[in-house]
Amino acid sequence: MKRRILVALLPLLASGAVVARAPYPQDPLHSPMWTAHAAAIFGDDPVRFDPRITLKYPAIAENQRSFPVVLDARGVAGVRRMVIFADLNPIPVAIDYRPSDSAAYIATRIKLDQRTPVRGAVQLADGQWLVSGGWIDAAGGGCSAPPLSRVRGDWAEHLGELRGEAWATGEAGTSRLRLMVRHPMDTGLVGNIPTYNIETVTITSATGAVLGELEMSAANSEDPALTVMPHAAPGETLTIAARDTNGRIYPASVVVPGMRAP
Amino acid sequence: MILSRRSMLGGMLAVGPASALDPRFTYHIAPVLVADGIWMIAGADEPILPGNGGAIANIAIVATPAGTVLVDCGPSLRYARALKAVAEGLTGKPVVRVFITHLHPDHGMGITAFDPAIVAALPGTISEMARDGRGFSDAMYRILGDWMRGTDLALPAISIASDHEAFGGRSLRLLALSGHSAADLALLDERTGLLIGGDLLFHHRAPSTPTADLAQWRKSLTALESLPHKGALPGHGPFDPSGTEAVAQTRDWIDWLETTLIDAVRSGLDMVEAGEIAIPERFSAMAAARYELQRSVSHLYPALENRLLPRVDKQAD
Ligand SMILES: [Zn+2]
């Protein structure tokens, strides 16, 4: 079941032979691609637009190469998957996250190729999908412009460097993990540079239990920056493994800080 | 309030016969006298939008015995032509010098209306315009469309190497500073003590940071504070008769911005959350505060995270 969305979507859309198998609700954003994406991502599962999940982003897309979005579904119980996609991007799905043992929260930065709906969709344990999102006015060039590090030529020097930190949150047993990976995240849409991106990030506990599993595409910005909220207590070590499309693994670990001595 | 019939007439003469018929793309240029022989044209306190034609930066007109001097000349050929006519109508003398304070297109893309031989900028500004001009031009055409018609890329031919320039007895001090960009020109009119700050100074308008180096900006503000002067003409926002308020506001904002973003990184906020941070009450009268905060997050946050968050990678065993 790995990589089902990210890989499945492209040929489906390219063929144009998309047949909606379920009657999806009418799209409040009136996107030309709604039915096609719904068929590819949701299939026969029930779908509804739901205000309890929020996709947050700034009022302006100052940098089309790096537009921050947060999908927050902590208001609903039993979230199994969290997907972030932009209808009119050449690579629509940016994130497909399974917060196995984490709060339902994910932040990333994505590329925007043109004015597009950007959506968050979460799937609950019973299979139904809840969707929200909005139109983002982007000037263009996010996916079809080379990443800044390709322009600078220094990407190889820093490839795979990870920075990050964890914080204990107010909620008992929940941490906040911020993680940045230096990676060009090449889309394959620029010049002769082939697709080259981080494709999975896995977060595990000290005992090896999976806390969160994330698939990501080159629609995420260069040097991806993520926030997730694993269930981990102060003092616990979070182990992170990012893997790119060349099969290279970038390991890291972060300790959730303990309570300060009084 | 100076909007003389002469300047009105000049403005009308400036536009070509075809565009004169199209009032949608006519700039309203209204110079206001701010010191003896110096006028300010206030830009709109807005982002660059089709509704304002990109005329968001303040422009200065200085009357000198040797001719008219302009400091910045707006976003487009249309603007700069109208500006030239209004300025020459006002002073009765031809434009002999155009100073460009820094690389940003709302200040300098109009130089295409002038002979490059009379346009002057700091060497750093000229090289930045050569590097970024195409990208700025594309962006401006995309946002503004017909307002930009005929606006070609041009570079100032005069690279400023002196700390002053005299115009038939009226001398302008030229201060080579930086921080809003890598090269920011400020000018002091020695006759009146008026300071023209370019985008080092924002007044009742949140500073913008797309090319900022906040530490350098702070040093430049210190230099402007210690420079004896009277009123200050900021790059954006109303004229500051005190000469100190715009400097203090700009410093207050960039200090708050930097401290706030550092705290945000250290407490684990992502960029969306950082852009939603509460803006202190004392900035409530500042135009475009939320807009500029969110832009600044985009400009500054990745580098701050890179600097402040520790390396956590380890060698695979
Ligand atoms: Zn500027």
Side-chain angles (χ1 to χ4, degrees):
Chain A
M1 279 296 280
K2 280 276 167 199
R3 304 170 58 190
R4 64 237 139 249
I5 287 182
L6 299 184
V7 173
L9 198 55
L10 285 175
L12 199 58
L13 295 180
S15 74
V18 173
V19 179
R21 284 161 296 174
Y24 302 111
Q26 204 192 340
D27 177 21
L29 304 180
H30 305 290
S31 163
M33 297 301 289
W34 163 246
T35 306
H37 289 316
I41 299 171
F42 312 129
D44 291 329
D45 296 328
V47 178
R48 64 193 167 91
F49 294 94
D50 194 306
R52 287 174 300 165
I53 71 161
T54 55
L55 187 76
K56 292 196 292 179
Y57 43 79
I60 38 141
E62 175 70 6
N63 181 355
Q64 283 83 243
R65 299 164 188 263
S66 181
F67 181 69
V69 290
V70 171
L71 178 55
D72 186 350
R74 288 175 294 173
V76 280
V79 172
R80 292 291 173 84
R81 277 171 72 187
M82 307 179 75
V83 176
I84 297 173
F85 65 102
D87 287 27
L88 304 182
N89 265 3
I91 304 171
V93 176
I95 293 281
D96 181 359
Y97 173 50
R98 290 171 179 266
S100 338
D101 194 2
S102 298
Y105 184 99
I106 173 102
T108 187
R109 299 171 191 162
I110 64 171
K111 296 167 185 151
L112 297 172
D113 211 51
Q114 58 175 308
R115 184 168 185 271
T116 178
V118 176
R119 307 186 196 253
V122 307
Q123 189 175 32
L124 306 183
D126 64 5
Q128 71 168 318
W129 288 89
L130 311 182
V131 184
S132 85
W135 278 91
I136 312 296
D137 225 333
C143 288
S144 44
L148 294 174
S149 63
R150 288 284 187 202
V151 177
R152 287 195 304 261
D154 67 347
W155 66 276
E157 285 169 44
H158 299 285
L159 182 69
E161 285 181 10
L162 282 100
R163 287 179 185 276
E165 196 163 339
W167 295 263
T169 67
E171 287 165 68
T174 300
S175 70
R176 166 183 282 253
L177 172 66
R178 186 94 181 120
L179 193 67
M180 290 170 310
V181 191
R182 296 292 295 271
H183 204 284
M185 301 296 280
D186 292 316
T187 57
L189 304 170
V190 183
N192 294 317
I193 304 168
T195 306
Y196 182 42
N197 59 273
I198 299 284
E199 59 178 0
T200 64
V201 179
T202 306
I203 298 133
T204 50
S205 73
T207 62
V210 173
L211 302 176
E213 275 182 296
L214 196 132
E215 293 175 45
M216 57 196 300
S217 71
N220 290 276
S221 65
E222 179 188 4
D223 299 340
L226 303 163
T227 302
V228 290
M229 294 189 167
H231 291 144
E236 279 189 50
T237 299
L238 302 169
T239 300
I240 297 129
R243 191 188 71 218
D244 73 17
T245 46
N246 282 1
R248 190 166 158 180
I249 309 277
Y250 307 95
S253 67
V254 178
V255 178
V256 181
M259 296 303 163
R260 295 236 173 87
Chain B
M1 182 62 217
I2 309 285
L3 183 57
S4 67
R5 293 187 52 177
R6 251 161 93 192
S7 68
M8 288 289 288
L9 185 63
M12 289 169 67
L13 286 174
V15 287
S19 53
L21 299 173
D22 194 342
R24 292 173 302 161
F25 304 110
T26 303
Y27 290 100
H28 179 67
I29 294 183
V32 174
L33 191 71
V34 293
D36 178 28
I38 303 183
W39 292 261
M40 171 173 139
I41 298 151
D45 275 336
E46 295 168 351
I48 293 169
L49 294 170
N52 56 40
I56 63 164
N58 294 334
I59 311 289
I61 300 169
V62 184
T64 81
T68 303
V69 173
L70 300 176
V71 180
D72 288 333
C73 62
S76 63
L77 176 66
R78 282 185 208 269
Y79 184 96
R81 279 191 179 157
L83 168 69
K84 179 174 189 287
V86 166
E88 291 178 349
L90 209 52
T91 63
K93 292 207 165 94
V95 172
V96 294
R97 178 72 69 247
V98 181
F99 289 106
I100 300 301
T101 57
H102 65 294
L103 79 160
H104 291 150
D106 47 329
H107 296 259
M109 280 210 68
I111 61 173
T112 181
F114 301 94
D115 177 356
I118 67 162
V119 182
L122 292 170
T125 299
I126 296 171
S127 56
E128 286 184 312
M129 288 173 81
R131 185 194 64 202
D132 294 341
R134 174 55 60 196
F136 282 142
S137 173
D138 290 349
M140 295 292 275
Y141 269 90
R142 197 183 57 232
I143 299 169
L144 297 176
D146 210 304
W147 286 104
M148 295 298 291
R149 182 174 293 185
T151 308
D152 293 322
L153 288 180
L155 292 176
I158 304 171
S159 183
I160 296 170
S162 168
D163 63 359
H164 75 282
E165 184 168 2
F167 297 92
R170 187 162 204 167
S171 180
L172 298 175
R173 292 256 308 268
L174 307 177
L175 303 138
L177 301 166
S178 66
H180 174 72
S181 72
D184 294 299
L185 177 68
L187 302 94
L188 181 75
D189 174 50
E190 294 189 335
R191 183 196 292 177
T192 61
L194 183 93
L195 174 64
I196 301 171
D199 274 5
L200 290 169
L201 298 184
F202 283 70
H203 189 216
H204 297 312
R205 203 272 183 209
S208 60
T209 60
T211 51
D213 177 328
L214 299 182
Q216 287 300 325
W217 198 336
R218 229 170 255 126
K219 283 186 196 165
S220 293
L221 291 172
T222 302
L224 293 180
E225 266 164 348
S226 58
L227 178 80
H229 67 273
K230 298 228 168 64
L233 196 161
H236 295 269
F239 180 69
D240 173 15
S242 76
T244 55
E245 191 176 61
V247 182
Q249 279 182 5
T250 305
R251 182 193 292 279
D252 192 13
W253 176 272
I254 66 173
D255 284 354
W256 171 77
L257 178 70
E258 189 166 43
T259 308
T260 300
L261 295 187
I262 287 172
D263 284 351
V265 169
R266 291 215 166 111
S267 55
L269 301 193
D270 58 60
M271 284 171 56
V272 174
E273 295 168 312
E276 291 176 346
I277 284 174
I279 295 170
E281 183 58 31
R282 67 182 189 278
F283 296 126
S284 60
M286 222 175 217
R290 176 68 57 192
Y291 170 76
E292 291 298 347
L293 170 60
Q294 294 195 344
R295 292 185 74 204
S296 291
V297 168
S298 176
H299 306 145
L300 305 172
Y301 214 71
L304 284 175
E305 287 188 319
N306 226 14
R307 197 180 92 205
L308 297 170
L309 297 186
R311 286 280 288 275
V312 294
D313 43 303
K314 56 182 187 188
Q315 296 306 312
D317 357 77

